[in-house]
Amino acid sequence: DCGQPWKRVGGRHVCRYFGYFQCGCGNRWTSAYTWKGERQACRSCSRESDPTKTEKLDGRIGMGNGKPHDSRRCSMCQQLGYDCSSFS
C-alpha cells in the first residue's frame, strides 16, 4: 500500500497519507498525518471523522499551515501515546 511494510503499531501495518476531512458539522481540514484506519476529531465540534479522501505522500517537504500537529484530536497519537508526527 504505502511501500513500508515494516511500519507497525500493535502488530498492525500502518500507512501514512495526506488526508482530506469533512465533519458532519461542516468543518473541513487537511492533514499530512493521516493514517490508514485512523480518525481525527473536528476542531469545531470534537466529533471523530474518517478522511473523505487520501493521497499518497509525494516525498516533498510540505509548507504546512504553521501550526503543530493537533495530537489531542488524532486517534493515531492516542494509540501511540505520543505525537505521531515523530513516528518513524
Side-chain angles (χ1 to χ4, degrees), residues 29-45:
W29 70 96
T30 60
S31 176
Y33 292 96
T34 301
W35 301 86
K36 185 174 184 175
E38 298 297 329
R39 308 175 105 196
Q40 291 187 7
C42 175
R43 286 182 185 220
S44 295
C45 71

Side-chain angles (χ1 to χ4, degrees), residues 7-80:
K7 288 208 170 192
R8 298 188 167 278
V9 172
R12 179 175 61 97
H13 175 242
V14 293
C15 289
R16 185 177 143 213
Y17 297 94
F18 187 87
Y20 298 83
F21 293 83
Q22 181 173 352
C23 182
C25 74
N27 189 36
R28 296 175 189 229
W29 70 96
T30 60
S31 176
Y33 292 96
T34 301
W35 301 86
K36 185 174 184 175
E38 298 297 329
R39 308 175 105 196
Q40 291 187 7
C42 175
R43 286 182 185 220
S44 295
C45 71
S46 298
R47 279 188 279 181
E48 289 194 341
S49 298
D50 291 312
T52 57
K53 179 182 172 184
T54 57
E55 297 175 353
K56 282 190 174 189
L57 295 173
D58 59 16
R60 294 182 297 162
I61 296 174
M63 296 298 289
N65 61 9
K67 298 177 186 174
H69 177 57
D70 191 352
S71 58
R72 294 177 305 122
R73 300 186 189 282
C74 173
S75 65
M76 178 59 94
C77 293
Q78 300 307 310
Q79 186 176 350
L80 291 170

